[in-house]
Amino acid sequence: MSNLNTERVLEVHHYTDRLFSFKTTRDPSFRFVNGQFTMIGMEVEGRPLLRAYSMVSSNYEENLEFFSIKVQNGPLTSRLQNIKVGDSVLVGRKPVGTLVQDALVPGKTLYLCGTGTGLAPFMSVVKDPDVYDRFDTVVLIHGTRFINEQAYGDFISEALPNDELIGELVRSKLKYYPTVTREPYIHNGRITSLLASGKLQADLGLSPLDKDNDRVMICGSPAFLKDMVEMLEEHGFEEGAISKPGHFVVEKAFVEK
Ligand code: A2P
């Protein structure tokens, strides 16, 4: 049996000349935990060309959704960015990943920290009713250089709070904090500095970082991950895994070089 499903593209949305998202059909046998990723791609010269992509869609949704960067000479994304409704994409049948709630010990506040396309796995997490059972407050932080990279902003602040299934949970528990570093915006600054200084928590009426209450999921560029981990470890946080849950978990955003 092939380890890939062939899915059909249902929608494509271009945010900027560097970012786009798309929806596909979903094989009913494809199951995943919110926060996980799988290999996706296209057939190129008779062979599958695949990269890791987090699911933006939650595990109870009928279709799949992915969020992607466009890399000019990237072997996959230079092609994938041209997909049209009706085209085929390959979706790996084996989802994996560390950004799962079972890798964290119980806590009060969950911080979901993503830069760039590192937002993707957290989109499936904030649509997951379970996360609101486990935490009193869920904070979704998206850091980008520019405002037009704040993809999903309208969805998070307008559609999600009115969602039939989880709107009420979102309204009472989700706090959204989009922040931009290279032009003026409602929030400015790097996620690391905003969390370490306590500015972000003060803006949201939350307490400064504290390993007894706070749990953190991190996804973004290698430099961002390194600085976040260093900052959290300075605060006594320990990395978790399913085999040994901890205070934070980390996954790199799979940017094509
Ligand atoms: P900055 O503009 O100050 O570099 P990128 O597109 O390079 O992945 O960046 C996405 C966001 O992540 C930007 O706001 C960027 O801020 C920020 N960023 C980049 N490197 C780090 C880092 N080491 N620690 C915290 N934030 C970072």
Side-chain angles (χ1 to χ4, degrees), residues 18 115-116 143-146 149 179-182 189-193 221-225 227-228:
R18 293 192 62 235
T115 57
T144 58
R145 296 179 185 193
F146 302 106
E149 296 167 319
T179 178
V180 159
T181 43
R182 302 198 187 186
R190 286 183 161 197
I191 298 175
T192 38
S193 326
S221 66
F224 167 67
L225 301 187
D227 289 354
M228 275 296 290

Side-chain angles (χ1 to χ4, degrees), residues 107-123:
K108 291 195 175 131
T109 302
L110 175 64
Y111 289 92
L112 305 170
C113 308
T115 57
T117 55
L119 174 72
F122 303 135
M123 291 306 300

Side-chain angles (χ1 to χ4, degrees), residues 111 113 139-142 177 179 187 190-191 193-207:
Y111 289 92
C113 308
V139 184
L140 175 59
I141 314 170
H142 187 203
Y177 199 96
T179 178
H187 302 299
R190 286 183 161 197
I191 298 175
S193 326
L194 289 164
L195 279 172
S197 68
K199 167 146 190 358
L200 182 148
Q201 296 90 323
D203 286 348
L204 298 175
L206 298 169
S207 310

